[in-house]
Amino acid sequence: MERYLGLLLALFGTFTIINIIQAQEQQGFISLDCGLPANELSPYNETSTRLQFYSDATFIQSGLVGKIQSNLGIFRKPYTTLRYFPDGIRNCYNLNVEKGRKYLIRASFIYGNYDSNDTKPVFDLYLGPNLWATIDLEATGNGIREEILHMPTSNSLKICLVKTGDTTPLISALELRPMENGSYVIDQSGSLKRRSSNYLSKSTFDIRYSSDVYDRIWLPLFMNEWTEISTDLDVANNNIYGPPQDALKHAASPTNASAPLTIEWPSSNSHDQYHLYVHFSEIQELQANETREFNMVWNGKHYYGPLAPPKLNVLTVFSESSRTCGGGKCSVQFIRTNRSTLPPLLNAFEVFTVIQLSQSETDENDVSAIKSIAASYALSRISWQGDPCVPPQLRWDGLNCTNTVASIPPRLNTLNLSSSGLTGTIAAALQNLTQLEKLDLSNNNLTGGVPEFLGNMKLLTVINLSGNNLNGSLPQALQRKGLELSVEGNPRLCFSDPCKKPTKKKVVVPIVVSVASAATVIFVVVLFLVVRIKNPSIVEGLHLLMGTTSMANVTFANKKSRRFTYSEVIKMTNNFQRVLGEGGFGMVYHGTVNSYEQVAVKVLSESSTQGSKEFKAEVDLLLRVHHANLVRLVGYCYEGDKLSLIYEFLPNGDLKQHLTGKGGGSIIKWSVRLRIALEAASGLEYLHIGCTPPMVHRDVKTANILLDENLKAKLADFGLSRSFQSEGESQVLTAIAGTLGYLDPECNSSGRLSEKSDVYSFGIVLLEMITNQPVINQTSEILHITQWVGFKISRGDIIEIMDPNLGKDYDSNSAWRALELALSCANPSSSKRPSMSQVIQELKECIVCENSRVNDNQGLESQAMSIGLDSSMDPMAR
Ligand SMILES: *[C@@H]1O[C@H](CO)[C@@H](O)[C@H](O)[C@H]1NC(C)=O
Ligand SMILES: *[C@@H]1O[C@H](CO)[C@@H](O)[C@H](O)[C@H]1NC(C)=O
Ligand SMILES: *[C@@H]1O[C@H](CO)[C@@H](O)[C@H](O)[C@H]1NC(C)=O
Ligand SMILES: *[C@@H]1O[C@H](CO)[C@@H](O)[C@H](O)[C@H]1NC(C)=O
Ligand SMILES: *[C@@H]1O[C@H](CO)[C@@H](O)[C@H](O)[C@H]1NC(C)=O
Ligand SMILES: *[C@@H]1O[C@H](CO)[C@@H](O)[C@H](O)[C@H]1NC(C)=O
Ligand SMILES: *[C@@H]1O[C@H](CO)[C@@H](O)[C@H](O)[C@H]1NC(C)=O
Ligand SMILES: *[C@@H]1O[C@H](CO)[C@@H](O)[C@H](O)[C@H]1NC(C)=O
Ligand SMILES: *[C@@H]1O[C@H](CO)[C@@H](O)[C@H](O)[C@H]1NC(C)=O
Ligand SMILES: *[C@@H]1O[C@H](CO)[C@@H](O)[C@H](O)[C@H]1NC(C)=O
C-alpha cells in the first residue's frame, strides 16, 4: 500500500479557533471598480454582494476610462466601467498590503467592445516583477477572471498590465482579500493560481461574499451521472479554510452506487503542479446500519483514505506537496470501500496550479528612495511604474541595476536623470540609494548647493552635475580619487565653466588651515614679537610710498648714468621737505627732477648697508630690472656714507591704503582688485623666473603694492632685504626677514626663503584683498587671517567672507575661485603651493568669470587683461 507523506486533514469539529463569521466585515478588503470616476458614486455597495467598491483612481496614475456597451447583458456594476492603457508598456496599480500576509488577489477583465473596435486585447498581467498570467480575451470570450493566492514580499503590491502586442490592455475590477495565515500552502516555492473552485450542486448561483467570508467565488458544478444531496441543516464550517455553508449544504454522489465519483480537468503540461483542496461533510441522515467510506485515487494511484465525511461538519483534505498529472488530464476518483454501504460523496473542491514568482522585487529601501526622488521632482514618467529594476526589459528609464540572481533583490546602481527638467535642489533621498555607482543629473535646472552626502557615497564613480544652476562650492569629500566628477556649466558654482573644467583642477586647496599649521603661524608670530623688540627696523621692512609720472620712465630710461650726487638729491627733494613715508631702512621723500618729473627718494640709514661693493652690485642689478609691474629704480646716490635710492613715483599710494580707506585711499571694486592681483602676481613671477639671477621678493604685502594714476599695480621694495640688512644679523633673522603675518610659516624649519615664500605672502595679500580683514588680529582669538577665513569658509557663505565694502558687487563664482587660490597659495606646506605662473593662470580665469558677469562694464576689464597679459616690457635683465 502506498504511503503519502505530508498528507493532511484539516482540523474539524472540536477546535475553538476564531469565529470567522464574527470577524469584522470586509476587513482588509480592497475592492476597486476600475474606471469608476473618483467623484462619482465612490464608494458604493454592490447590490448582490454588498461589497463596498471604490474607484481605482487613487491607485494608479495612468490609463483612460472606458465603458462597456450596454447591450451585452452584463449587469454587475463593477464590470461596466474599465480602465485601458493606450500609453506606455507597463501600467501598474500600487496597493498597500501587509507584508507576509496571504492574500487572495482577483483581477477581472471584460472587454465589452468599449472601444467599438470589436478587437479583443491580448496582454500580460504581472505581480510585481513576475508574470502572473497572459490575458487573452480573444481566446476566452468576453471576460476573464484571474485569481491568485499570494504572499507579498513588501508592503506595496504592484499589479501591472503589460502591453505585448498591438492591442490595448484593460482591466475592469481588482480585488484583494486577506486570508488566514495558516490556510493554503504558499511558500517560497510559489503562489497558487486558482484553476477552479466549485460546489457540487444543480444550482445556478455562484456563492461568494458574504456567504464566503473570504469572498472566494464558488461556481456550481454537476454531472449527469451524479445525484444531488442537500440539507437545510446548519453545517459547521469553522476550520481554517471556512468553506461557505451554502456550498457545504450541497453534495453529489454517483447515481450508480457502486461506481466511483470522478472529477477531471485537462493538464496540457505534464510539469504543471497542482494543489487540490477537497471539502467533505456528511449531510445525509445515516441509519445505524449505514456507512459511507471511500478512498481517494489520483490518476489511478491511491491518494488518501479511507475516509468518512463527518456529520454536519467540514473535513478538508489537501496535500502539502504539489502533484503532477500525466496523460493530458488530471483525474481524481472517490471510490467506496468494501464495507461502505453508501456511495462516496463530495461537497466542494478547489484546484490550484503552482506558479513560480522567483524574481525578487528590488530592494525595498532603494524603491522607497527612488519613489521619494521621483516625488520630489514631480517626475511623471510613464515607464516609472511597477518594480524599478525588474523584469529587466521593463526597467525604468534612466536606471540600471545589479540583477544577477533572481532570488537576490536587485539594487539600483545607476541613476540617469539627465535632461529631465528637474528643478529644486539635489534630492536628499539620493543618499538612500546606497549602492549607487553612477549618478547623472546633468542638463537640468537644479539649484542650491552640492550636498555633502554625495561625497560620502563611496561607491559612486561617476557624478555628472553639469549644466545646472547649482551654487556654492564643492564638498571636499568629492575631491577623491576614482571619482569622475563633472560640474561644468553651473555658472554660480565654484570651479565651473567658462572659468575652468573642475575635473582637471590640480591646485590643492586646504579649505581650513590645519591645527598644526595654525600652531606654526602662532610660533612664528611669537618669534617675531621677540625679534621685533630687538630690531624693529628688520621686522617692518622697507615701507615705501613712492611715485613717478610715466614721463619719468622716458627720461631716466634714456639716461646713461643713473648716479646722482648727494647735492642733487638735496635739490630734488627740496632739502627733504615732503615726507612720503618711513620704511625700515630709512625715510622716503618726495622729489622732482628737471622741475616736472616726480620721484620717490629713499634715504638709507648708514648702518643698513653691507659695504660699498655689494651695494653697488646690488643696485646695478636692480637698475636692470624692468617690468611693467615692478616699481622702477631709476637712480641712486652713493657718496661717502650718503646712500639713496631713487624710484619712480606712484601717485595713488599703496593697496593697503585703498583697502583700509586710510591715507585717502578709495574703495576698489572687485574686478579692479582682481586685475591688481594679476598685475602684482606678474611682477612677482618676473622676479622669480624672468630675471637673472632670479630673485625672491621677501616682503610681499599690500603696503608694497603701489598704484599709479590708473590704479595699475607695481611691486615695490624687491631685492632689498637681501642686500640691505644690518650687520651681524643671525641666520635665523635672515631667514625670517619679512613682515609679520605675511611670512611663510615653513621658513623657520627650512631656514631659507624661496619663491614659495613669496607665494605664501602673495596668498595673504590676496586674502586681504578678498576679505579686508587684518592679517593679524590681536584683539581676537582668531589671530591670523587664514584662520579667520578657515572659520568662515566652514559656514559656506561667500558673502560673509567677502569685504563688505564691495557691496556684493561681484560674481560669487570668481570670488570663490579667488579665495581658493589664495588659500592654496597660503598652504602651510610650500610644496603644495602653486607657482606664480599657475597663480597668474588662475587669476586670469577668475577675471574671465567676473567679466562674463559684468559684460556691460567692458572698458576696465579688457584693459586689465591687456595689461596683465603683457608680462614685461623690455626685460633687460633676462
Ligand atoms: C454600504 O454598506 C456599509 C456596511 O457594509 C454601510 O455602512 C454603508 O452605509 C453602505 N453604504 C451605502 C452607500 O449604502
Ligand atoms: C498572521 O499574520 C499576521 C499578519 O501578517 C501576523 O501579524 C501574525 O503574526 C501571523 N500569525 C502567524 C501565526 O503567523
Ligand atoms: C481597431 O483594431 C485594429 C486591429 O484589429 C487596430 O489596428 C486599430 O488600431 C484599432 N482601432 C482603434 C480605434 O483602436
Ligand atoms: C455501475 O458501476 C459498476 C462499476 O463501475 C459497473 O460495473 C456497472 O455496470 C454500473 N451499472 C450501470 C447500470 O451502469
Ligand atoms: C438497514 O436497516 C434498514 C431497516 O432499519 C433496512 O431497511 C435496510 O435494508 C438496511 N440496510 C442495509 C444496507 O443493511
Ligand atoms: C474488496 O472487495 C474486492 C472484490 O469485491 C476485493 O478484491 C478486495 O480485496 C476487497 N478489499 C478489501 C480491503 O477487503
Ligand atoms: C546595466 O548594467 C549591466 C550590469 O549590471 C550592464 O551589463 C548593462 O550594460 C547596463 N546597461 C546600461 C544601459 O547601462
Ligand atoms: C545619461 O543619459 C544620457 C542620454 O539620455 C547619456 O548621454 C549619458 O551618457 C547618460 N549618462 C550616463 C552616466 O550614463
Ligand atoms: C532614508 O532612509 C531612511 C530609512 O529607510 C529614512 O528614515 C529616511 O527618511 C530616508 N531619507 C530620505 C531623505 O528619504
Ligand atoms: C530654470 O529656473 C529658472 C528659475 O526658476 C527659470 O527662470 C529658468 O527659465 C529655468 N530654465 C530652464 C532651462 O528651465
Side-chain angles (χ1 to χ4, degrees):
M1 213 166 138
E2 266 191 82
R3 309 227 59 87
Y4 293 99
L5 299 175
L7 212 55
L8 302 173
L9 280 184
L11 302 169
F12 64 92
T14 56
F15 56 89
T16 55
I17 58 160
I18 28 145
N19 189 340
I20 291 155
I21 305 300
Q22 283 172 7
Q24 197 182 329
E25 285 204 341
Q26 301 186 36
Q27 192 177 30
F29 280 27
I30 297 174
S31 308
L32 301 183
D33 180 346
C34 303
L36 179 74
N39 51 356
E40 185 186 303
L41 293 173
S42 173
Y44 64 85
N45 291 341
E46 199 273 323
T47 47
S48 64
T49 60
R50 296 192 297 105
L51 284 166
Q52 199 164 25
F53 273 86
Y54 288 79
S55 162
D56 64 340
T58 56
F59 300 92
I60 191 160
Q61 268 67 56
S62 52
L64 300 172
V65 166
K67 206 166 173 59
I68 65 168
Q69 291 188 353
S70 55
N71 57 359
L72 289 166
I74 292 168
F75 51 88
R76 291 224 166 148
K77 185 167 167 62
Y79 302 141
T80 55
T81 58
L82 55 87
R83 185 175 292 271
Y84 65 101
F85 302 94
D87 299 317
I89 303 298
R90 174 169 65 171
N91 289 274
C92 299
Y93 284 86
N94 220 331
L95 306 172
N96 290 329
V97 292
E98 215 177 311
K99 178 180 175 176
R101 171 141 212 172
K102 281 175 194 167
Y103 284 87
L104 167 67
I105 305 166
R106 180 187 297 135
S108 306
F109 309 89
I110 291 124
Y111 169 62
N113 203 17
Y114 74 95
D115 58 355
S116 307
N117 199 11
D118 235 352
T119 309
K120 292 173 180 169
V122 181
F123 54 93
D124 281 345
L125 180 63
Y126 275 74
L127 206 49
N130 292 291
L131 180 66
W132 166 6
T134 292
I135 306 301
D136 187 350
L137 287 161
E138 184 80 69
T140 51
N142 210 30
I144 293 180
R145 187 152 58 202
E146 283 291 344
E147 269 189 29
I148 193 166
L149 284 163
H150 176 65
M151 197 186 294
T153 53
S154 70
N155 289 330
S156 150
L157 181 68
K158 292 145 202 119
I159 297 171
C160 304
L161 293 93
V162 177
K163 202 173 206 162
T164 53
D166 295 335
T167 53
T168 303
L170 64 84
I171 186 165
S172 305
L174 193 51
E175 296 160 274
L176 262 75
R177 313 292 181 227
M179 304 297 287
E180 287 305 314
N181 291 2
S183 70
Y184 300 101
V185 178
I186 314 173
D187 51 29
Q188 259 45 40
S189 66
S191 298
L192 298 183
K193 179 170 157 173
R194 189 182 295 277
R195 252 199 91 88
S196 60
S197 50
N198 297 97
Y199 73 103
L200 274 52
S201 167
K202 287 176 176 165
S203 161
T204 54
F205 295 106
D206 299 357
I207 297 173
R208 61 179 293 184
Y209 190 82
S210 58
S211 280
D212 186 332
V213 289
Y214 301 113
D215 192 30
R216 289 161 295 194
I217 299 178
W218 304 83
L219 303 181
L221 174 72
F222 214 78
M223 302 286 179
N224 288 333
E225 64 266 28
W226 296 344
T227 300
E228 183 172 6
I229 306 169
S230 295
T231 182
D232 290 329
L233 299 172
D234 281 349
V235 180
N237 66 342
N238 50 349
N239 74 12
I240 203 162
Y241 294 93
Q245 282 217 24
D246 289 347
L248 295 175
K249 282 179 177 179
H250 302 270
S253 80
T255 308
N256 177 348
S258 51
L261 188 150
T262 305
I263 52 175
E264 288 180 342
W265 64 91
S267 172
S268 50
N269 189 336
S270 62
H271 300 297
D272 281 350
Q273 295 176 299
Y274 298 95
H275 278 281
L276 176 68
Y277 290 83
V278 201
H279 308 287
F280 302 101
S281 179
E282 182 58 79
I283 54 171
Q284 189 176 322
E285 187 82 34
L286 298 191
Q287 304 305 311
N289 61 354
E290 285 179 327
T291 53
R292 194 192 307 274
E293 190 185 72
F294 49 89
N295 286 297
M296 289 174 66
V297 172
W298 186 298
N299 275 22
K301 288 186 175 172
H302 183 260
Y303 178 69
Y304 188 76
L307 69 93
K311 186 180 173 190
L312 295 178
N313 218 322
V314 66
L315 170 69
T316 300
V317 173
F318 64 99
S319 167
E320 273 191 331
S321 54
S322 60
R323 299 217 143 221
T324 55
C325 305
K329 70 173 182 185
C330 294
S331 168
V332 178
Q333 290 188 305
F334 304 83
I335 303 173
R336 64 185 279 186
T337 62
N338 286 359
R339 61 186 214 92
S340 178
T341 61
L342 294 172
L345 156 154
L346 175 61
N347 306 67
F349 68 94
E350 302 166 86
V351 179
F352 299 92
T353 51
V354 175
I355 60 170
Q356 302 290 341
L357 304 179
S358 51
Q359 174 60 61
S360 300
E361 294 184 286
T362 299
D363 179 83
E364 265 183 274
N365 292 328
D366 280 4
V367 173
S368 66
I370 190 72
K371 279 185 173 171
S372 159
I373 291 164
S376 57
Y377 293 128
L379 269 183
S380 60
R381 291 189 171 184
I382 191 84
S383 83
W384 281 36
Q385 300 190 52
D387 192 282
C389 292
V390 277
Q393 72 274 14
L394 296 173
R395 193 172 54 221
W396 294 4
D397 290 345
L399 302 188
N400 203 357
C401 307
T402 57
N403 180 31
T404 40
V405 182
S407 60
I408 297 173
R411 301 297 305 261
L412 264 78
N413 62 8
T414 303
L415 177 60
N416 187 348
L417 292 178
S418 130
S419 305
S420 299
L422 310 185
T423 56
T425 57
I426 293 178
L430 277 170
Q431 63 194 298
N432 276 0
L433 294 175
T434 54
Q435 296 292 307
L436 207 57
E437 292 164 22
K438 292 181 186 170
L439 175 64
D440 191 340
L441 299 175
S442 60
N443 302 316
N444 287 297
N445 206 351
L446 294 172
T447 51
V450 178
E452 197 72 38
F453 66 72
L454 285 181
N456 302 329
M457 297 174 70
K458 297 299 182 207
L459 296 182
L460 277 174
T461 55
V462 177
I463 300 179
N464 190 347
L465 303 175
S466 57
N468 280 291
N469 208 356
L470 299 166
N471 59 24
S473 62
L474 287 176
Q476 191 72 354
L478 283 175
Q479 303 179 6
R480 67 173 155 85
K481 235 176 153 179
L483 174 64
E484 194 183 303
L485 174 68
S486 314
V487 295
E488 67 269 16
N490 287 281
R492 300 190 301 138
L493 185 70
C494 231
F495 301 123
S496 64
D497 238 7
C499 312
K500 194 159 189 180
K501 300 268 187 294
T503 44
K504 287 171 192 125
K505 176 148 187 75
K506 281 295 127 332
V507 179
V508 179
V509 181
I511 292 293
V512 179
V513 176
S514 70
V515 174
S517 64
T520 310
V521 170
I522 290 162
F523 170 73
V524 172
V525 167
V526 171
L527 186 57
F528 258 86
L529 293 175
V530 174
V531 171
R532 188 176 186 170
I533 293 158
K534 281 167 80 180
N535 193 342
S537 66
I538 297 299
V539 175
E540 285 167 15
L542 290 174
H543 189 141
L544 297 184
L545 291 170
M546 301 174 291
T548 187
T549 64
S550 49
M551 293 292 285
N553 274 347
V554 179
T555 316
F556 286 111
N558 298 333
K559 274 196 171 171
K560 284 275 176 250
S561 168
R562 295 183 183 85
R563 187 163 177 176
F564 293 85
T565 63
Y566 189 61
S567 59
E568 280 175 308
V569 169
I570 292 170
K571 194 180 161 204
M572 72 175 74
T573 60
N574 200 6
N575 200 17
F576 309 109
Q577 197 166 46
R578 183 176 156 202
V579 176
L580 289 174
E582 185 178 357
F585 295 99
M587 300 292 286
V588 183
Y589 301 90
H590 181 263
T592 309
V593 180
N594 304 334
S595 72
Y596 64 91
E597 292 169 23
Q598 298 183 84
V599 290
V601 180
K602 179 187 284 192
V603 178
L604 301 166
S605 60
E606 292 154 40
S607 63
S608 60
T609 83
Q610 291 174 305
S612 59
K613 236 179 166 175
E614 289 80 358
F615 173 72
K616 212 165 162 295
E618 199 68 48
V619 168
D620 278 344
L621 175 65
L622 294 180
L623 284 169
R624 288 190 291 127
V625 173
H626 291 262
H627 187 275
N629 301 117
L630 296 174
V631 174
R632 268 187 86 201
L633 179 67
V634 294
Y636 66 97
C637 166
Y638 184 64
E639 198 176 296
D641 57 359
K642 304 293 182 205
L643 306 178
S644 303
L645 293 170
I646 298 149
Y647 291 95
E648 62 174 313
F649 175 76
L650 287 117
N652 255 324
D654 67 24
L655 182 57
K656 189 170 186 165
Q657 283 177 287
H658 288 271
L659 290 176
T660 58
K662 288 179 192 151
S666 59
I667 301 304
I668 305 173
K669 64 180 195 156
W670 178 242
S671 58
V672 179
R673 286 189 201 189
L674 285 174
R675 196 244 304 147
I676 288 172
L678 176 63
E679 289 165 351
S682 302
L684 209 46
E685 183 199 32
Y686 180 73
L687 290 178
H688 290 175
I689 61 172
C691 61
T692 323
M695 283 185 218
V696 177
H697 188 294
R698 298 172 167 230
D699 199 14
V700 177
K701 56 183 176 182
T702 44
N704 271 341
I705 295 171
L706 307 185
L707 301 170
D708 76 3
E709 62 275 20
N710 298 320
L711 293 180
K712 176 176 165 181
K714 299 195 177 202
L715 275 178
D717 258 14
F718 52 91
L720 291 182
S721 38
R722 186 164 50 154
S723 309
F724 300 87
Q725 55 194 328
S726 299
E727 284 154 294
E729 275 176 340
S730 72
Q731 269 308 110
V732 174
L733 288 177
T734 305
I736 59 173
T739 300
L740 186 64
Y742 292 89
L743 189 84
D744 179 359
E746 216 179 53
C747 80
N748 68 331
S749 56
S750 75
R752 257 188 28 219
L753 286 172
S754 69
E755 317 85 66
K756 287 294 175 78
S757 305
D758 281 350
V759 174
Y760 179 87
S761 309
F762 183 82
I764 304 301
V765 166
L766 209 44
L767 287 178
E768 269 186 283
M769 295 173 77
I770 294 164
T771 65
N772 197 15
Q773 290 294 312
V775 174
I776 302 249
N777 187 347
Q778 269 139 0
T779 64
S780 159
E781 271 185 14
I782 298 167
L783 194 62
H784 193 249
I785 192 166
T786 54
Q787 292 169 286
W788 184 88
V789 168
F791 173 71
K792 289 284 180 185
I793 215 167
S794 60
R795 304 162 73 165
D797 187 0
I798 192 72
I799 294 169
E800 275 196 38
I801 296 169
M802 295 296 282
D803 179 1
N805 291 335
L806 290 168
K808 298 185 192 170
D809 182 20
Y810 47 81
D811 171 49
S812 65
N813 186 23
S814 81
W816 273 115
R817 296 188 62 143
L819 181 64
E820 297 192 20
L821 174 64
L823 287 169
S824 71
C825 290
N827 195 305
S829 161
S830 62
S831 60
K832 289 187 178 149
R833 294 173 205 153
S835 68
M836 285 316 294
S837 309
Q838 289 170 316
V839 170
I840 285 168
Q841 198 51 41
E842 185 65 22
L843 281 170
K844 283 178 185 168
E845 285 167 6
C846 286
I847 288 171
V848 171
C849 266
E850 175 65 16
N851 285 0
S852 62
R853 183 183 69 101
V854 221
N855 31 24
D856 54 344
N857 195 8
Q858 212 78 40
L860 253 180
E861 269 68 42
S862 50
Q863 186 197 352
M865 284 312 292
S866 66
I867 292 166
L869 295 171
D870 169 24
S871 65
S872 71
M873 52 178 237
D874 193 21
M876 288 165 65
R878 225 179 249 274

